[in-house]
Amino acid sequence: MATQLIKNGRLITESRDEICDVLITDGIVKKISSKLTDTADQIIDATGLYIFPGGVDAHTHMELPAMGTFSSDDFKSGTLAAIAGGTTTIIDFANQSRGESLHVTLDKWLEKSKKAECATHFHVSVTDVNERTLQEMQEIKLRGVNSFKTFLAYKGMRLTDEHMSAVMQKATSIGALVTAHCEMGEEVEKNVADFIAADRLEPACHPLTRPARLEGEATEHFLALAHKNSCPSYVVHMTCKESVDALRSAKGRGQKCYGETCPQYLILDDSAYQQEFDQACKYILSPPLRAKHNQNPLWDAIADGTIDVVATDHCPFTLEQREKGRDNFTKIPNGIPGVQERMILMYSEGVAKGRISLQRYVELCCTNPAKIFGLYPQKGTLEVGSGGDFFLLDPNKHWKLANEQLQQNVDYSCYEGLQIQGQIVGCWNQ
Ligand SMILES: [Zn+2]
């Protein structure tokens, strides 16, 4: 039996805040108490440190095929980076190709994820709705997938209302959740065509083709469909006040729905696009970074419980991969890195700046995603009987974030030079 005894740390979970010792045996929490005297293979002195449950990142894209290339972290490098940053579970996306069986989809991604170093689960993206797909959703649920992703954006992937309703009805009947990327795809595509026709091809045009209004409208539409079909739903990567308002009113009418945002939308803004290509290209993702006035509504929404989860949408591409879009922003692969920075950014910008409590931090980054996606209490908490993933954080360290300290397989961080309070001093992945 492998045992670990963490001594004298300040344990923070969704329901605890106390100085105590934690005994973990074979990856399971056995005892939480003050002054444990058990012997253990490893004794970890956590005096002066926080003990947090391992982070759960509900939105990553390792090794994602996109625009003729792949996101630059595979499941090995990406999960090692996650662990270094305090995250011990990821939920990635297995994306159905047209005409493909969902079993084949899931098999492909399970094969790729064999090299993962931390717990890895999947949402399955449904892009081709037909009788077989709907039938297979039930079988895929039995294989441990609790959520199906849908798109309102992207030609070839987005669903008609009729297909969306069919997916929602099936999900409801089998006890699964439907998640959605909410942007009005047709209007975005029309905007992109207009910008190309006008020869406006610099990165600063990217956010103009995908305004917040189109995200808000799509969020409202998706939540209305979910309401009509009594389907539990989850909106990924919310970026703006319009979306927050839509989610808040859906929750207000008693609907079972959840929302997610990401650190980039809380910390960065669309002024990043007003730079030379070499800088601006680093921030191309969809939905794009928004005007700064959206940040306070997002912070308010994560603090007051409107938004339930902070994930990353980690989907890195190197500067060389982005070079393809030097003359045309539509050719820059979409997505930014962040799986390693999430836990420390949310501590530093959230907890240390007084915007969220320690407990809310754990809820947003660990407990809620584990609960919503069926991984709790094995993941997302530290209680007797739960899994024993944890990380330790020193709240008194101050440092400056630099990409050279990170191990994500990408040559930049969007947060280069940011002053950070708090430092992760170790992460134990059971
Ligand atoms: Zn994504």
Side-chain angles (χ1 to χ4, degrees), residues 190-203:
K190 185 181 174 306
N191 291 342
V192 169
D194 289 348
F195 273 82
I196 291 173
D199 205 27
R200 295 201 49 199
L201 300 171
E202 65 278 17

Side-chain angles (χ1 to χ4, degrees), residues 59 61 93 149 237 313:
H59 193 154
H61 299 283
F93 291 83
K149 163 98 176 278
H237 52 44
D313 200 4

Side-chain angles (χ1 to χ4, degrees), residues 58-61 91-95 109 122-123 125 149 179 236:
H59 193 154
T60 66
H61 299 283
I91 315 180
D92 206 276
F93 291 83
N95 299 329
W109 294 79
F122 287 97
H123 313 278
S125 299
K149 163 98 176 278
T179 77
V236 303

Side-chain angles (χ1 to χ4, degrees), residues 337-398:
V339 76
Q340 189 168 352
E341 295 105 314
R342 179 183 67 132
M343 296 305 290
I344 198 61
L345 286 174
M346 292 309 296
Y347 179 82
S348 182
E349 292 290 312
V351 178
K353 290 194 173 170
R355 290 160 159 154
I356 52 172
S357 68
L358 283 161
Q359 253 125 19
R360 188 68 190 145
Y361 169 69
V362 170
E363 283 175 353
L364 289 162
C365 298
C366 315
T367 316
N368 287 352
K371 282 184 174 169
I372 293 168
F373 296 108
L375 308 175
Y376 183 89
Q378 291 76 25
K379 304 292 179 186
T381 192
L382 287 168
E383 276 303 328
V384 174
S386 79
D389 293 350
F390 67 96
F391 72 95
L392 301 178
L393 185 145
D394 181 344
N396 296 315
K397 283 268 167 37
H398 294 259

Side-chain angles (χ1 to χ4, degrees), residues 197-241:
D199 205 27
R200 295 201 49 199
L201 300 171
E202 65 278 17
C205 298
H206 173 69
L208 304 178
T209 62
R210 323 181 75 99
R213 179 181 63 80
L214 295 183
E215 181 189 322
E217 259 177 50
T219 304
E220 213 176 301
H221 185 65
F222 169 71
L223 290 170
L225 280 176
H227 188 47
K228 210 163 101 183
N229 290 294
S230 306
C231 179
S233 56
Y234 178 103
V235 181
V236 303
H237 52 44
M238 296 170 60
T239 72
C240 58
K241 182 175 182 307

